[in-house]
Amino acid sequence: MNTPLSWIKAYVPGLECEDRAYCDAMTLSGTKVEGYERLDNNLERIVVGHIEKIERHPDADKLIVCQVNVGTETVQIVTGAQNLKEGDYVPTVLDGGRVAGGHDGGPLPEDGIRIKAGKLRGIESCGMMCAIEELGSSREMYPEAPEDGVYVFQKPVTPGEDAVEALGLHDTVVEYEVTSNRVDCYSILGIAREAAATFRKPFVPPVVEVRGNDEDVNDYIAVEIQDRDLCTRFCARVCKNIRIAPSPEWMQRRLAACGIRPINNLVDITNYVMMEYGQPMHAYDLDNVSGNRIIVRRAKDGDTFQTLDGQVRKLDSEMLMICDAEKEIGLAGIMGGENSKITDEVQTVLFEAATFNGANIRKSSKRVGLRTDASGIFEKGLDPRNAEAAINRACQLIEELGCGEVVGGIVDVREPFEELKQIRFEPERINRFLGTEIAEEEMLQIFERLELAYDQGTGMITAPSFRQDIECFADIAEEVARFYGYDKIPTTLPTGEATTGKLSFKLRVEEKARDIAEYCGFSQGMCYSFESPKVFDKLLIPADSPLRQTVTIANPLGEDFSVMRTISLNGILTSLASNYNRRNKNVRLYELGNIYIPRSVPVVDYPDERMQFTLGMYGEGDFFTMKGVVEEFLESIGMKKKADYDPKAEKTFLHPGRQALIRYEDKVIGYLGEIHPEVGDNYDIDVKVYVAVLDLPEILPFASFDRKYEGIAKYPAVSRDISMVVPKNILVGDIEKVIEQRGGKILEEYQLFDIYEGTQIKPGYKSVAYSITFRAKDRTLEDSDVSGAMKKILNGLEGLGIELRA
């Protein structure tokens, strides 16, 4: 966004400061300035000269000698310009002055060109008469300038006055970086409003009054919006008896400073309003609008349309068109059509100011390969309330500049406006949020400068419609911060958990999972979240399994990456297979990654993303090694009770006799086991592979990092060893449950230290041996205490069919 500073100052009276100070202050208040350029850079001692006499050069056919009145004196200047005549007023650089450069098309010198008195073919020349290019501008911005010659003033000027001032070049063009959520700042009025608030000056926008004639615009035009999801407002006004002519110099200079080439009064007015209000407009020749009707509708697939630039565009049904009763006359929000363009013969003009769906304009612009200034603004989403103000401003300029006669009334077809956003004013919360001590009155003054209305009765702040970026408390706090001054806000620590640099609880559990896995010799792997549907066949997952109900990717890289995974094993097994095929003997890998479970099929909502802690290994170690890693992890995150292992896991991808569900307080939190040999073959792994998968969302409710300190035991421990003959169908976990339940308060720990099966044990049984430790916290245990506890344990074991081994 480029704006001339003089235009901003026109709406902010009293704004006087150096260019650098202005840019720095605007940047600090949130309207970032990318840079600025003085239009009169390197222009010195340039005045208006009046050519009083012209003579031929005695020794050069192409040179003339001019006597030029520069106010205080008459100087002689020799020039080769052929467009001059006596009586012309021209910009003249005096002896010792400086110009921006030449007009030969080459690069301009950074410090300009110094002009000194001298002789041309023996004749004294004290200065130089300037072409517009030598003043740092161009014919695009000054269309009245000759193509090859000295610039001649078209308006009354006085010899000796500042020629740079007369040309409107004492100005600065400022370039802003405007974020897409501040669409109001894509306008002169938006930037002026920010400048007024920044410098604490009054903001005085133009007063718009349109007289109009006694006719009714509805007699000239009717508007119908068929696709209201793409066009929420369409304003139309009609001007007749149009007189095409150059726009006034002040308008041309303002447009030129913004980088817009002046064309004629009608085109310049639409461009002027677009820059001033940030509302793109379009003008149609009403005589070319069939049926005096405007219909806003989608195009039809396969239609073509010739835009104003002469190109034929291919349309589809997602593009919005402005049509009359018979044909398309404009590509909405992008460019008008060749069939309704304004020509010098136009008599009646239809002005359009509308609000279109920003996303649709952006997509349509991209599809037709045409991006314009208008589409660049529309795609950001305009304030629908701005359309009427902008079209009235255009009609006001039509009247003031004598371009035509405005027909009375306005056609305004629109959807109901959205309610203005309201946010509760909480000054104390704002100060806590910012780490400041700003008075409530100062905050309210800031809001007043920004046109944020405060209702003392309700305590609510109402944001104006043009501030579409203000939606919540944080946005209100931001307004206070940027106009109070970011440089004034003291350094403070933020409040909350982040102050101490702590991770969230979930991330701490994941960090502990990494620590335990790496402590146990596992290396972290990173696996894809999207994979092939063929994975389910490799893992022997049944055809009716819920795991086969997946989120399908709309634009996959290929079939091998076409679904979001519902089980995490494929990635780990693929990585283990790669290592095995490269003859790595002992490999341990782990992964922390999500699986994606659809909430319903077909998918209509975001899936349930569940973090899985997946472990896989082959080589040294077995089922119990993996079980030990799982238990180490569960203990490290504060799960004090021991997990139960249910051998009835029924996982088709695991070995039928070497698998188990992991339960904690009757909740399944994962599974572990040996990979089914057929699955191993599918992955080309010819050794035993052990895996464990823990579902972290199920684990988190049981985890805790709270630790209670217990002092060193003051009293001695007493240990008892028992050796038992146990039926093979009795699990070690069943034995440990009995020990825990019947050991009482004095039970400190127990440890399995031997399992034996052989000829010395009767068939169908195994020998199991435990070491059990007892200790009391308040006294030394007596033999009767330990014997009583042991008796209860043995009685419980006998109930399971377990015998003490002799």
Side-chain angles (χ1 to χ4, degrees):
M1 177 71 185
N2 294 347
T3 69
L5 194 52
S6 62
W7 201 349
I8 300 297
K9 290 179 178 180
Y11 303 139
V12 187
L15 176 58
E16 298 295 337
C17 63
E18 296 293 330
D19 295 341
R20 172 51 61 187
Y22 172 84
C23 295
D24 290 345
M26 291 294 284
T27 298
L28 283 174
S29 67
T31 308
K32 184 181 178 184
V33 174
E34 285 287 294
Y36 68 94
E37 179 184 3
R38 290 287 308 181
L39 296 182
D40 58 0
N41 192 32
N42 299 325
L43 302 181
E44 296 179 7
R45 302 196 68 197
I46 302 177
V47 299
V48 174
H50 179 221
I51 301 177
E52 297 180 337
K53 186 176 181 181
I54 297 178
E55 297 177 334
R56 305 302 305 178
H57 191 290
D59 296 323
D61 293 338
K62 295 185 178 181
L63 296 180
I64 57 175
V65 180
C66 301
Q67 304 300 320
V68 183
N69 178 3
V70 294
T72 56
E73 60 179 327
T74 298
V75 297
Q76 179 172 284
I77 298 176
V78 179
T79 180
Q82 301 300 310
N83 66 310
L84 300 178
K85 64 182 183 298
E86 292 180 356
D88 284 344
Y89 291 85
V90 296
T92 306
V93 56
L94 303 177
D95 181 21
R98 190 165 54 170
V99 295
H103 57 279
D104 55 1
L108 299 179
E110 292 186 4
D111 57 352
I113 298 175
R114 186 72 64 180
I115 302 300
K116 296 182 180 180
K119 290 185 177 182
L120 286 178
R121 302 292 291 269
I123 301 296
E124 292 284 345
S125 182
C126 299
M128 183 180 76
M129 292 176 286
C130 304
I132 197 65
E133 290 83 1
E134 290 163 332
L135 299 174
S137 190
S138 67
R139 291 186 66 248
E140 282 194 350
M141 301 301 110
Y142 289 81
E144 72 276 13
E147 184 174 355
D148 185 16
V150 170
Y151 181 84
V152 178
F153 285 102
Q154 306 296 310
K155 65 177 183 178
V157 286
T158 304
E161 72 172 284
D162 187 347
V164 179
E165 176 70 27
L167 286 166
L169 291 174
H170 281 317
D171 203 353
T172 302
V173 176
V174 183
E175 179 184 0
Y176 306 89
E177 179 185 327
V178 181
T179 55
S180 58
N181 67 328
R182 287 302 305 273
V183 66
D184 59 300
C185 286
Y186 284 91
S187 67
I188 297 295
L189 291 179
I191 296 294
R193 187 181 290 107
E194 291 288 305
T198 299
F199 291 95
R200 299 174 182 267
K201 300 293 184 182
F203 171 58
V204 184
V207 177
V208 179
E209 294 180 356
V210 183
R211 293 185 297 273
N213 61 21
D214 296 332
E215 295 179 278
D216 185 357
V217 68
N218 293 287
D219 296 333
Y220 284 80
I221 193 70
V223 175
E224 176 188 355
I225 302 178
Q226 293 184 358
D227 293 290
R228 292 180 177 249
D229 57 323
L230 301 184
C231 178
T232 55
R233 189 176 195 185
F234 194 102
C235 296
R237 296 201 69 158
V238 173
C239 300
K240 65 179 187 178
N241 301 325
I242 295 297
R243 294 177 288 278
I244 298 295
S247 54
E249 185 177 357
W250 61 267
M251 180 177 285
Q252 292 189 35
R253 299 298 169 256
R254 285 182 174 179
L255 291 175
C258 293
I260 298 175
R261 181 172 63 90
I263 298 176
N264 59 48
N265 51 5
L266 197 58
V267 175
D268 291 352
I269 284 173
T270 59
N271 287 332
Y272 187 88
V273 172
M274 181 178 71
M275 291 303 302
E276 187 175 54
Y277 278 77
Q279 170 69 53
M281 295 182 56
H282 191 68
Y284 302 93
D285 187 337
L286 189 59
D287 292 335
N288 293 329
V289 176
S290 299
N292 284 36
R293 290 188 64 202
I294 291 291
I295 302 172
V296 185
R297 61 168 175 81
R298 282 179 166 86
K300 298 177 182 178
D301 289 326
D303 283 356
T304 58
F305 179 68
Q306 186 175 17
T307 47
L308 278 172
D309 57 1
Q311 299 294 314
V312 177
R313 312 285 176 176
K314 187 175 181 180
L315 308 177
D316 61 50
S317 59
E318 292 302 312
M319 297 178 186
L320 189 67
M321 303 300 295
I322 310 299
C323 311
D324 59 20
E326 299 176 355
K327 60 187 181 300
E328 294 95 347
I329 59 174
L331 187 53
I334 302 174
M335 185 176 282
E338 182 74 16
N339 54 12
S340 63
K341 69 178 181 180
I342 299 296
T343 64
D344 291 344
E345 289 74 35
V346 64
Q347 294 296 314
T348 308
V349 166
L350 170 65
F351 277 123
E352 162 210 311
T355 306
F356 302 115
N357 181 283
N360 178 264
I361 296 298
R362 180 181 62 81
K363 292 176 183 178
S364 298
S365 175
K366 193 172 182 179
R367 283 200 294 271
V368 299
L370 176 62
R371 196 169 192 274
T372 60
D373 291 338
S375 68
I377 296 176
F378 272 123
E379 68 187 23
K380 297 179 174 60
L382 297 186
D383 171 19
R385 290 176 170 85
N386 193 38
E388 183 178 359
I391 200 169
N392 286 338
R393 174 63 165 163
C395 291
Q396 177 191 35
L397 291 173
I398 289 286
E399 291 179 339
E400 291 181 353
L401 303 185
C403 300
E405 180 183 352
V406 178
V407 174
I410 180 174
V411 177
D412 187 3
V413 181
R414 64 177 177 86
E415 293 292 288
F417 291 139
E418 292 183 3
E419 293 292 330
L420 297 178
K421 296 186 181 69
Q422 291 189 324
I423 302 98
R424 183 165 298 282
F425 177 44
E426 302 171 277
E428 293 181 359
R429 184 183 175 192
I430 291 174
N431 277 324
R432 288 198 306 272
F433 187 71
L434 299 177
T436 56
E437 296 180 358
I438 306 172
E440 178 180 338
E441 292 75 15
E442 186 171 356
M443 294 184 190
L444 292 174
Q445 289 174 6
I446 291 172
F447 297 151
E448 184 179 359
R449 297 203 303 270
L450 293 171
E451 300 181 29
L452 302 177
Y454 173 60
D455 187 333
Q456 189 172 5
T458 61
M460 302 297 287
I461 294 173
T462 302
S465 60
F466 58 80
R467 289 302 303 272
Q468 300 182 33
D469 60 305
I470 296 180
E471 296 182 342
C472 61
F473 161 79
D475 297 324
I476 291 294
E478 180 189 11
E479 298 304 299
V480 173
R482 67 192 186 99
F483 288 104
Y484 172 72
Y486 290 117
D487 54 328
K488 297 179 184 178
I489 298 178
T491 301
T492 58
L493 285 174
T495 58
E497 188 174 296
T499 302
T500 57
K502 291 169 60 179
L503 296 173
S504 66
F505 182 76
K506 175 178 177 291
L507 292 180
R508 290 176 68 190
V509 171
E510 292 177 11
E511 184 179 52
K512 184 61 69 174
R514 293 187 188 92
D515 291 344
I516 294 300
E518 290 167 9
Y519 171 77
C520 295
F522 288 75
S523 298
Q524 185 172 12
M526 302 295 290
C527 305
Y528 289 115
S529 293
F530 32 85
E531 51 195 20
S532 170
K534 299 176 183 177
V535 165
F536 303 118
D537 295 331
K538 294 178 70 175
L539 292 174
L540 307 181
I541 292 175
D544 59 350
S545 172
L547 293 177
R548 288 182 178 264
Q549 296 180 358
T550 61
V551 176
T552 303
I553 300 172
N555 54 342
L557 298 174
E559 185 182 3
D560 290 343
F561 304 97
S562 60
V563 298
M564 303 300 291
R565 64 179 181 177
T566 56
I567 183 170
S568 61
L569 283 182
N570 176 66
I572 284 291
L573 292 178
T574 301
S575 298
L576 290 174
S578 298
N579 280 275
Y580 178 76
N581 293 325
R582 286 165 176 76
R583 294 180 171 80
N584 293 326
K585 295 183 178 180
N586 298 296
V587 178
R588 296 185 176 191
L589 298 175
Y590 78 93
E591 181 204 6
L592 281 165
N594 286 334
I595 59 172
Y596 304 85
I597 308 299
R599 301 181 191 276
S600 62
V601 177
V603 176
V604 295
D605 196 2
Y606 292 112
D608 181 15
E609 299 185 24
R610 305 186 69 83
M611 178 62 70
Q612 308 289 288
F613 180 27
T614 308
L615 300 146
M617 70 177 191
Y618 68 80
E620 294 181 0
D622 55 15
F623 180 94
F624 297 102
T625 305
M626 184 65 79
K627 178 172 174 283
V629 176
V630 171
E631 292 183 342
E632 183 79 17
F633 167 63
L634 297 180
E635 183 180 351
S636 72
I637 60 174
M639 297 171 68
K640 297 180 180 179
K641 295 181 181 180
K642 287 197 173 183
D644 297 327
Y645 297 88
D646 182 358
K648 299 178 181 179
E650 299 181 355
K651 301 290 184 183
T652 56
F653 45 83
L654 297 179
H655 193 292
R658 300 168 190 168
Q659 59 175 286
L661 293 177
I662 307 171
R663 295 182 182 274
Y664 191 87
E665 295 187 359
D666 296 328
K667 197 84 170 179
V668 176
I669 61 173
Y671 57 85
L672 80 160
E674 180 185 325
I675 288 297
H676 195 290
E678 188 176 340
V679 173
D681 292 341
N682 290 339
Y683 284 90
D684 296 325
I685 307 176
D686 294 333
V687 296
K688 292 181 178 180
V689 178
Y690 300 94
V691 296
V693 178
L694 294 170
D695 189 23
L696 291 189
E698 294 290 351
I699 290 174
L700 288 177
F702 303 112
S704 172
F705 290 102
D706 295 335
R707 298 291 184 268
K708 184 178 180 181
Y709 171 75
E710 294 184 2
I712 298 174
K714 296 180 180 180
Y715 302 97
V718 178
S719 296
R720 293 286 189 271
D721 293 344
I722 56 172
S723 181
M724 300 165 283
V725 177
V726 181
K728 285 188 177 182
N729 65 329
I730 300 297
L731 301 177
V732 168
D734 298 330
I735 298 173
E736 293 179 351
K737 283 182 181 179
V738 172
I739 295 174
E740 286 183 357
Q741 292 171 357
R742 294 175 173 263
K745 294 182 179 180
I746 62 174
L747 177 65
E748 184 174 76
E749 65 176 351
Y750 52 86
Q751 187 70 43
L752 173 69
F753 66 86
D754 183 55
I755 297 179
Y756 172 74
E757 295 182 35
T759 57
Q760 298 179 10
I761 305 299
K762 57 184 178 181
Y765 285 79
K766 58 187 174 183
S767 174
V768 177
Y770 271 90
S771 175
I772 305 176
T773 302
F774 300 95
R775 191 196 304 267
K777 296 181 180 180
D778 56 350
R779 60 190 173 89
T780 301
L781 291 175
E782 297 180 0
D783 185 62
S784 60
D785 298 322
V786 177
S787 298
M790 286 298 299
K791 185 176 181 179
K792 291 180 180 179
I793 292 173
L794 293 175
N795 290 338
L797 294 174
E798 288 176 2
L800 296 176
I802 297 172
E803 305 172 4
L804 284 179
R805 187 177 177 187

